[in-house]
């Protein structure tokens, strides 16, 4: 992961390396979300990537850096990792960048980590998203206890923003009777095609995916036949493409805040594996040379 602070100068957000500034449990999502995507080379995801990313986490922890980030790995689509960093404003983002650049020790450590990490990557890119609270729904979620993001990308046809907003309002209406229905809606400001919206749906377990299909009947009953017809019409009218993928939280590549660690220490501060902690067997004593 690369902290957003280096983003402007060193393309830190490259390859999903953007992190989400950690928010305390049950607080709203950040107003500005910096996102970096890292597409790994074949066979380089998983443990190899975790090892290089640990250098970023260690550098940030050693510096006691106040900006934290969340790393998630793709379960569907191309192998990639996303790094999410949240800010209250673009001004706050700028200040974080400037502070990182002024910290020579941290900058040097991040540069070294970038070189090692780059050998594993096939491509990287970055984006900046802005929260659209009026298009979100019950977004005060206990993120430290979540384990998945269902991330959807929607591209709105030029000139059809009002139709898109009407479509989202219908989804909000249909979810009123579904207590565990929630999402945070972001609009792309930089790095993605104009008219792109990103929807984050956090989940505690994959069982929620099964449950979501069951709840479709409640959704349809709430809108009624005419409402579902209108929903289909607005979808066709406002959108020219959409895609949804599943991502898994990765605590080993995340720079989690103390609040998150305290909320679920077993997850956010996992113990080292046996392979990492096992000491090599002592070499047998050499036999004395024959006399």
């Amino acid at each position: 992961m690369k902290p957003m602070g280096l983003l402007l100068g060193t393309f830190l957000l490259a390859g999903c390396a953007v992190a989400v500034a950690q928010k305390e449990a049950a607080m709203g999502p950040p107003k500005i979300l910096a996102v970096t995507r890292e597409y790994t080379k074949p066979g380089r995801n998983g443990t190899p990537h975790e090892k290089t990313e640990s250098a970023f986490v260690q550098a940030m922890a050693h510096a006691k850096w106040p900006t934290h980030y969340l790393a998630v790995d793709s379960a569907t689509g191309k192998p990639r990792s996303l790094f999410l960093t949240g800010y209250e404003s673009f001004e706050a983002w700028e200040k974080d960048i400037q502070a990182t650049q002024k910290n020579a020790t941290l900058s040097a450590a991040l540069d070294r980590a970038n070189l090692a990490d780059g050998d594993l990557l096939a491509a990287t890119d970055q984006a900046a998203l802005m929260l659209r609270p009026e298009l979100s729904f019950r977004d005060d979620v206990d993120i430290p206890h979540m384990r998945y993001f269902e991330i959807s990308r929607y591209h709105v046809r030029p000139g059809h923003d009002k139709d898109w907003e009407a479509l989202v309002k219908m989804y909000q209406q249909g979810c009123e009777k579904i207590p565990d229905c929630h999402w945070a809606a972001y609009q792309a400001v930089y790095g993605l095609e104009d008219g792109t919206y990103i929807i984050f749906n956090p989940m505690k377990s994959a069982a929620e995916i099964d449950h979501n299909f069951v709840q479709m009947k409640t959704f349809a009953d709430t809108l009624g036949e005419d409402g579902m017809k209108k929903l289909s019409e607005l979808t066709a009218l406002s959108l020219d493409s959409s895609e949804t993928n599943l991502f898994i939280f990765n605590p080993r590549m995340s720079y989690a805040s103390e609040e998150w660690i305290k909320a679920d220490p077993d997850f956010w501060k996992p113990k080292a594996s046996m392979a990492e902690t096992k000491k090599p067997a002592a070499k047998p004593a050499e036999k004395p040379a024959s006399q």
Side-chain angles (χ1 to χ4, degrees), residues 150-190:
E150 189 179 66
I151 303 179
S152 300
R153 178 198 57 79
Y154 297 93
H155 187 261
V156 177
R157 298 179 189 277
H160 287 273
D161 295 270
K162 293 300 181 181
D163 296 319
W164 159 249
E165 292 174 6
L167 175 64
V168 175
K169 294 299 181 183
M170 290 199 69
Y171 272 101
Q172 293 172 334
Q173 179 185 346
C175 284
E176 284 293 347
K177 296 181 180 179
I178 305 176
D180 54 354
C181 186
H182 48 241
W183 67 80
Y186 283 85
Q187 182 175 359
V189 179
Y190 299 108

Side-chain angles (χ1 to χ4, degrees), residues 44-65:
R44 297 296 186 176
N45 59 323
T47 301
H49 197 202
E50 287 185 353
K51 288 183 177 179
T52 58
E53 289 298 332
S54 67
F56 292 100
V57 177
Q58 292 169 12
M60 301 289 279
H62 182 74
K64 295 181 172 58
W65 208 248

Side-chain angles (χ1 to χ4, degrees), residues 19-246:
V20 171
Q22 308 300 341
K23 309 288 287 183
E24 293 185 13
M27 291 183 66
K31 295 177 182 178
I32 302 299
L33 188 60
V35 182
T36 295
R37 292 186 295 184
E38 292 185 349
Y39 293 86
T40 51
K41 295 176 182 178
R44 297 296 186 176
N45 59 323
T47 301
H49 197 202
E50 287 185 353
K51 288 183 177 179
T52 58
E53 289 298 332
S54 67
F56 292 100
V57 177
Q58 292 169 12
M60 301 289 279
H62 182 74
K64 295 181 172 58
W65 208 248
T67 302
H68 299 83
Y69 58 85
L70 169 65
V72 298
D73 295 325
S74 60
T76 61
K78 295 181 179 180
R80 62 204 184 281
S81 297
L82 306 183
F83 297 85
L84 311 170
T85 306
Y87 296 94
E88 284 302 303
S89 64
F90 281 104
E91 181 182 12
W93 181 4
E94 178 189 37
K95 290 180 178 179
D96 189 39
I97 293 172
Q98 293 172 342
T100 303
Q101 293 172 338
K102 291 178 181 179
N103 189 316
T105 301
L106 176 58
S107 295
L110 294 174
D111 286 343
R112 290 192 296 271
N114 263 318
L115 286 174
D117 193 46
D119 290 338
L120 306 182
L121 306 180
T124 63
D125 61 26
Q126 60 194 38
L129 314 177
M130 180 176 63
L131 180 68
R132 293 291 302 273
E134 76 281 9
L135 302 180
S136 302
F137 190 70
R138 298 178 186 146
D139 57 11
D140 289 345
V141 178
D142 182 14
I143 293 295
H145 290 98
M146 298 294 158
R147 297 295 178 263
Y148 297 88
F149 268 147
E150 189 179 66
I151 303 179
S152 300
R153 178 198 57 79
Y154 297 93
H155 187 261
V156 177
R157 298 179 189 277
H160 287 273
D161 295 270
K162 293 300 181 181
D163 296 319
W164 159 249
E165 292 174 6
L167 175 64
V168 175
K169 294 299 181 183
M170 290 199 69
Y171 272 101
Q172 293 172 334
Q173 179 185 346
C175 284
E176 284 293 347
K177 296 181 180 179
I178 305 176
D180 54 354
C181 186
H182 48 241
W183 67 80
Y186 283 85
Q187 182 175 359
V189 179
Y190 299 108
L192 295 173
E193 188 178 2
D194 291 346
T196 298
Y197 291 80
I198 307 296
I199 308 297
F200 292 84
N201 173 31
M203 296 182 290
K204 290 183 178 180
S205 74
E208 292 188 31
I209 302 173
D210 300 312
H211 190 52
N212 287 341
F213 285 106
V214 175
Q215 293 181 134
M216 285 303 297
K217 184 179 186 305
T218 301
F219 179 87
D221 289 344
T222 299
L223 291 183
E225 184 176 348
D226 290 342
M228 292 299 292
K229 181 180 179 180
K230 180 64 174 178
L231 192 76
S232 296
E233 293 173 350
L234 283 172
T235 300
L237 185 64
S238 62
L239 299 177
D240 58 19
S241 66
S242 64
E243 179 182 10
T244 298
N245 282 292
L246 185 66

